[in-house]
Amino acid sequence: MDTVNTNDTALQEKLSFDHFRNEVLKDYRISCESRETSLMGRKEVLTGKAKFGIFGDGKEVAQVAMAKFFKPGDFRAGYYRDQTFMFAAGMATVEQYFAQLFADPDINNDPFSAGRQMNAHFATKNADENGEWLDLAYIKNTSSDMAPTAGQMPRALGLALASKLFRNVDTFKQHRNLSDNGNEVCFCTIGDASTSEGHFWEVVNAAGVLQVPLAIFIWDDGYGISVPKHLQTTKGSISTALRGMQKTEGTNGLDIYKLKGWDYAGMCEVFEPAIQKIRDTHIPAIFHVEEITQPQGHSTSGSHERYKKPERLAWEREWDCIKQMREWIMANALAEENELVEIEINAKLFIKESKQKAWEKYIAPIKQQVAECLPLLSDLSQQLTAEKSAEVSNIMLELNNNREPLRREVLKAMATALDIAGNSTGTEELNNHYQQLRRANAKLYNSFLYNEGPKSALNVTVINPYYSEDAKIVNGYEVLNHYFDALFASNDKVTAFGEDLGFIGDVNQGFSGLQAKYGDQRIFDTGIRELSIMGQGIGLALRGLRPIAEIQYIDYMLYGLQTLSDDLATTHFRTAGQQSCPMIIRTRGHRLEGIWHSGSPMGMIINSLRGIYVCVPRNMVQAAGMYNTLMQSNDPALMIECLNGYRLKEKLPDNLLAFTVPLGVPETVHEGNDVTIVTYGSTLRVVLDAVNSLNKLGISCEVMDVQTLLPFDIHHAIAKSLQKTNRILFVDEDVPGGAAAFMFNKVMEEQGGYKFLDVAPRTITAQDHRPSYASDGDYFSKPNVEDVVRVVKEMMAE
């Protein structure tokens, strides 16, 4: 019979207790440091060093508990009150937090956004400088935060869906650097009031249907700024309202938990098995964390004393999570009073020191700019008249006395001095320095809208399509069907999904038969929920897959526009190039029949989706070439196929999977000398019909297909054509002032096309209203052949 060494048992118990005690005190320390960060951050805003502040005070204990179970490979899709979680997970430092609060544009100081986002908007890199994916399975990850409430929800669905695909799709399993057999959980955080947004409900429903490892933490402080939750949520409780989605045996759905935000031990006890269950089973869960307080109110823009009753404020002081955790530690004899006081004092000192380091790093390069500027201003001053010299001296004095200068103030000082100097001699050195600083600041603040390195779509090698003598002539949709078949066979990261895209192969048969060939988790159907379809694509792309997410008709782009505009289009910019999101949105539009199946809202698209390439191919071979280009890059793109082109005959290239179409390079599809006509998509065929008629009248037209609206004619080919013809017409089926106005601006202003005009430039667009139904409705609502002929004849007669 074995004997138990009581000394060993006692030692093990002591070691276990010591470990537990140390973990608790570490969490208490992080909570105190985070609270001091919030208090100090508010002061920095109110004293003017920072522009605006929104903080995570009141959520510290819930977030340290949550962070204990966040593992390498996991992803966070959160919002702007998650500072404690980021500190506890080791993904952010206090110094970095303050660097962002001060808007430090140095990526080494603010590695989340290089000062482009306000405080508490975090991000981690997902690709290196060459655009190659990092080993995401071995690091803790966070997608880039953004301010629109509930905007994180759609992307969270995609981040969680990726785990399901990595676990279940054999083709994806080999990418072990991106996933450990789909064991990753997406931690999504949201304020209780923001659950009123449609984004929340759409995503929760989709997560329950899809069964993906999504953990949604709802921080419930009882208010949405000043509006109490009984005016926000049915029954005044989001977990009660969601009760019908609770998963039960034999159904899909979500697990739902209710917790108290001040109960450290209770939250740890629930979070540990619950998150492990999500990890193991991929059953999503909602954690409704109630009784959260907000010690400083919503933000630095106002005081919560304006809308909270004295009784509520007194309750918040009593049930403050840090106060409650402190009392729990003392009651359980985990620390002496003096130990906790020491932690609290050290927290204040540490935050003050971290804040000061961040400030000094932020202000040092600006003061260096001031130091370089002042001697140049002094040199200029000495070469001016007494009156002008005095004015420049005043500028120098004001700049020199500014203890906390901004970059703009340095530039303004130089620009004002140059204006004062006018045509005086001696301005060259100051002007050169001024231009140099303008360029440097443009790089800091205006770069990375798109990829700029090897994975830029603009750097893809151009390969022309090759046709054999006996090339097949097929329908346009068959071109795409052949293309997607070859793509899925050759690229083991591609997936496609959308309404009716899976089983029937999309409404226009581009994916016909491919689900049966490649599986229902690489090519699959979704519900009618465009917003979260876009979110699925964003999340999958952030995790290294290559999603093609379909919106069935471009008319329904509006449903998904917010997440495309605020999230996808800005990801590369707002992370200063740290995150790439190579998602392709596939849709179709332009001409068919009726109001909601013939849309061309291009002005809306190009003005809200800067940061996403917009491809407008005239036929399906061109579309295939553009897909090839995009698949070699890390840039997101919108592909708008011609709805009335799927049944038109096209030659099938022999190198269907290899040829590429360059983005931003128009193609001259008909040469001429009298008029340049600029157009794209379905309208191109209308224009070519008109050109045949004009040719019989002795008028020679040059027709240019822009091919992509973003980017637009990067080599100024249209201006070169205009230089030859001296007349230009832009034809577009968007509303007046839409894409035609965009193209007009690009050619006339940016390319200097106005210099080559002999007659006034023209535009032909659709009418102001949505297209009327049927063939006559189409004819009178959108540009037609006779419109083009008439306007060109007018131009020739002018």
Side-chain angles (χ1 to χ4, degrees):
M1 179 177 178
D2 293 335
T3 58
V4 177
N5 188 319
T6 55
N7 289 333
D8 288 348
T9 303
L11 178 60
Q12 289 173 4
E13 289 177 353
K14 183 179 186 305
L15 289 174
S16 178
F17 176 79
D18 287 345
H19 176 74
F20 172 69
R21 176 182 180 278
N22 291 337
E23 280 291 304
V24 170
L25 293 184
K26 182 190 75 172
D27 287 347
Y28 183 71
R29 172 182 60 79
I30 293 170
S31 296
C32 290
E33 290 173 353
S34 185
R35 176 63 60 85
E36 288 301 322
T37 298
S38 297
L39 297 172
M40 182 72 72
R42 184 179 179 87
K43 289 179 183 177
E44 294 302 287
V45 174
L46 297 180
T47 58
K49 280 187 174 180
K51 189 76 172 179
F52 177 77
I54 193 160
F55 305 102
D57 45 307
K59 301 168 179 64
E60 294 91 352
V61 172
Q63 290 188 10
V64 293
M66 161 194 174
K68 298 174 80 66
F69 310 106
F70 187 80
K71 297 183 177 181
D74 288 345
F75 265 81
R76 168 186 165 274
Y79 80 136
Y80 41 69
R81 298 194 190 275
D82 288 350
Q83 67 196 50
T84 311
F85 172 84
M86 292 296 292
F87 297 156
M91 300 164 71
T93 68
V94 174
E95 185 179 324
Q96 291 167 343
Y97 181 90
F98 277 103
Q100 190 176 56
L101 183 68
F102 297 138
D104 192 328
D106 189 334
I107 195 69
N108 297 304
N109 299 335
D110 168 17
F112 317 120
S113 71
R116 297 179 180 200
Q117 297 219 82
M118 68 182 187
N119 68 299
H121 285 63
F122 303 103
T124 51
K125 289 180 69 170
N126 66 356
D128 64 20
E129 289 71 18
N130 295 317
E132 300 299 329
W133 292 95
L134 301 179
D135 294 334
L136 303 181
Y138 307 114
I139 57 178
K140 294 179 179 179
N141 306 281
T142 179
S143 55
S144 175
D145 299 320
M146 57 182 187
T149 56
Q152 68 274 26
M153 296 299 303
R155 132 170 52 98
L157 179 67
L159 291 168
L161 176 61
S163 290
K164 178 178 180 178
L165 299 186
F166 279 123
R167 179 173 290 182
N168 296 337
V169 179
D170 289 339
T171 306
F172 298 156
K173 286 182 178 180
Q174 62 185 303
H175 299 291
R176 297 186 182 278
N177 65 314
L178 300 178
S179 174
D180 176 20
N181 195 39
N183 289 322
E184 303 79 23
V185 174
C186 176
F187 286 53
C188 178
T189 61
I190 187 170
D192 179 67
S194 295
T195 64
S196 298
E197 296 277 11
H199 296 47
F200 175 83
W201 292 93
E202 185 172 320
V203 167
V204 167
N205 176 62
V209 170
L210 291 169
Q211 295 292 275
V212 293
L214 178 60
I216 302 173
F217 299 83
I218 301 171
W219 310 130
D220 186 353
D221 59 25
Y223 293 83
I225 305 184
S226 67
V227 181
K229 66 180 182 179
H230 74 270
L231 298 177
Q232 302 268 5
T233 308
T234 299
K235 302 183 184 299
S237 168
I238 189 62
S239 54
T240 302
L242 286 169
R243 197 167 288 163
M245 293 189 182
Q246 173 75 54
K247 182 175 173 61
T248 57
E249 188 174 350
T251 72
N252 56 20
L254 307 92
D255 290 328
I256 300 175
Y257 304 89
K258 291 180 71 171
L259 308 99
K260 305 298 184 185
W262 46 263
D263 183 6
Y264 172 79
M267 286 186 289
C268 290
E269 187 176 352
V270 171
F271 286 160
E272 183 171 21
I275 292 171
Q276 189 60 46
K277 181 182 178 184
I278 298 171
R279 206 177 293 283
D280 294 339
T281 67
H282 284 189
I283 298 170
I286 285 177
F287 300 92
H288 182 194
V289 184
E290 300 179 292
E291 299 187 14
I292 295 283
T293 66
Q294 246 180 6
Q296 298 188 113
H298 176 264
S299 69
T300 55
S301 63
S303 170
H304 60 158
E305 282 85 356
R306 292 182 300 164
Y307 53 85
K308 289 179 181 175
K309 294 180 180 180
E311 296 81 7
R312 170 69 190 194
L313 293 169
W315 180 89
E316 289 197 13
R317 287 190 292 272
E318 175 62 27
W319 291 94
D320 181 281
C321 62
I322 294 180
K323 179 177 183 295
Q324 290 294 318
M325 186 177 183
R326 193 183 202 278
E327 292 176 0
W328 176 81
I329 291 172
M330 295 288 292
N332 287 276
L334 294 171
E336 299 292 334
E337 171 79 16
N338 63 320
E339 290 181 275
L340 299 182
V341 170
E342 183 179 6
I343 288 172
E344 292 154 6
I345 292 173
N346 287 338
K348 293 178 187 289
L349 295 173
F350 173 65
I351 302 312
K352 186 176 182 181
E353 179 184 346
S354 297
K355 183 267 297 183
Q356 191 58 31
K357 285 181 180 178
W359 175 255
E360 289 171 359
K361 289 181 180 179
Y362 163 74
I363 201 68
I366 306 178
K367 289 189 172 181
Q368 180 63 32
Q369 289 184 14
V370 172
E372 293 170 352
C373 174
L374 289 172
L376 297 175
L377 290 171
S378 178
D379 290 344
L380 176 64
S381 174
Q382 295 172 22
Q383 301 180 56
L384 301 176
T385 63
E387 182 180 354
K388 290 185 175 183
S389 178
E391 290 185 66
V392 173
S393 295
N394 286 335
I395 293 171
M396 292 170 56
L397 183 63
E398 183 178 352
L399 185 62
N400 189 54
N401 290 341
N402 190 340
R403 295 178 59 193
E404 297 169 359
L406 299 172
R407 285 174 169 80
R408 69 178 187 180
E409 291 164 343
V410 180
L411 282 170
K412 184 177 181 180
M414 288 190 285
T416 305
L418 289 168
D419 288 341
I420 293 168
N423 296 323
S424 304
T425 59
T427 61
E428 184 177 355
E429 191 172 0
L430 180 63
N431 184 59
N432 288 341
H433 190 67
Y434 173 69
Q435 298 301 337
Q436 178 186 341
L437 268 188
R438 284 190 65 206
R439 290 190 294 270
N441 284 318
K443 187 174 182 181
L444 289 177
Y445 295 100
N446 310 125
S447 55
F448 296 114
L449 183 58
Y450 300 92
N451 271 276
E452 298 175 1
K455 290 293 185 177
S456 167
L458 303 186
N459 290 334
V460 173
T461 302
V462 178
I463 299 174
N464 293 322
Y466 166 76
Y467 300 91
S468 58
E469 290 185 6
D470 59 347
K472 290 183 179 179
I473 298 178
V474 298
N475 291 314
Y477 79 86
E478 293 177 288
V479 172
L480 289 177
N481 192 256
H482 283 291
Y483 172 74
F484 289 132
D485 189 2
L487 177 65
F488 273 74
S490 64
N491 191 323
D492 58 12
K493 290 185 177 180
V494 179
T495 180
F497 47 89
E499 298 160 18
D500 301 300
L501 183 137
F503 184 70
I504 69 169
D506 90 44
V507 291
N508 295 101
Q509 301 295 284
F511 278 88
S512 179
L514 299 186
Q515 185 185 77
K517 191 170 183 178
Y518 296 103
D520 62 5
Q521 294 202 53
R522 282 192 78 188
I523 299 172
F524 55 93
D525 291 315
T526 68
I528 301 176
R529 47 178 181 80
E530 287 83 4
L531 179 77
S532 52
I533 294 171
M534 297 301 95
Q536 283 180 202
I538 293 170
L540 294 178
L542 288 172
R543 291 194 60 180
L545 295 176
R546 297 305 303 252
I548 300 172
E550 180 170 305
I551 288 181
Q552 199 164 89
Y553 297 105
I554 196 174
D555 305 79
Y556 305 119
M557 180 70 67
L558 277 166
Y559 282 94
L561 191 64
Q562 186 274 328
T563 200
L564 292 177
S565 180
D566 287 335
D567 199 352
L568 180 63
T570 65
T571 292
H572 201 255
F573 169 79
R574 73 179 191 266
T575 62
Q578 301 296 290
Q579 287 188 351
S580 290
C581 193
M583 167 189 175
I584 296 176
I585 306 104
R586 179 187 181 226
T587 190
R588 53 193 63 83
H590 305 315
R591 308 188 75 120
L592 189 63
E593 306 291 351
I595 292 179
W596 283 287
H597 290 82
S598 52
S600 296
M602 308 309 297
M604 174 191 79
I605 287 168
I606 57 182
N607 289 309
S608 60
L609 299 184
R610 303 296 169 93
I612 298 175
Y613 288 134
V614 177
C615 302
V616 283
R618 64 182 180 268
N619 57 40
M620 305 313 156
V621 169
Q622 292 298 95
M626 292 176 184
Y627 281 119
N628 283 331
T629 299
L630 295 168
M631 283 293 167
Q632 295 182 47
S633 80
N634 278 353
D635 289 304
L638 171 64
M639 184 73 68
I640 305 171
E641 297 165 8
C642 294
L643 187 51
N644 60 358
Y646 290 114
R647 297 285 174 179
L648 298 181
K649 302 298 182 183
E650 299 184 46
K651 280 187 177 182
L652 189 66
D654 288 16
N655 58 342
L656 187 60
L657 199 60
F659 85 96
T660 57
V661 172
L663 307 189
V665 180
E667 183 177 346
T668 302
V669 296
H670 190 279
E671 294 189 358
N673 299 306
D674 294 329
V675 181
T676 297
I677 304 178
V678 181
T679 189
Y680 61 89
S682 294
T683 310
L684 181 71
R685 293 194 291 277
V686 174
V687 168
L688 289 175
D689 286 347
V691 166
N692 289 333
S693 298
L694 289 164
N695 190 52
K696 295 174 183 177
L697 299 175
I699 301 173
S700 172
C701 299
E702 183 142 295
V703 181
M704 303 197 73
D705 175 11
V706 301
Q707 302 200 99
T708 62
L709 286 167
L710 296 177
F712 181 86
D713 191 10
I714 58 178
H715 302 308
H716 297 184
I718 297 172
K720 292 172 186 174
S721 173
L722 177 57
Q723 192 169 4
K724 175 175 65 173
T725 64
N726 307 119
R727 299 176 183 86
I728 193 165
L729 169 65
F730 299 91
V731 186
D732 171 46
E733 54 184 315
D734 194 3
V735 296
F742 169 78
M743 295 188 292
F744 188 100
N745 165 261
K746 288 286 186 179
V747 176
M748 292 296 103
E749 184 176 350
E750 289 190 18
Q751 299 184 13
Y754 70 91
K755 294 180 291 187
F756 311 123
L757 293 172
D758 282 350
V759 302
R762 306 289 210 281
T763 63
I764 299 176
T765 68
Q767 299 299 313
D768 282 320
H769 53 76
R770 297 285 181 96
S772 298
Y773 174 56
S775 297
D776 276 348
D778 177 83
Y779 181 87
F780 290 105
S781 300
K782 292 199 171 188
N784 57 59
V785 172
E786 288 70 35
D787 287 336
V788 178
V789 172
R790 174 177 49 80
V791 171
V792 171
K793 286 168 65 179
E794 289 173 359
M795 295 174 72
M796 295 303 296
E798 186 172 316

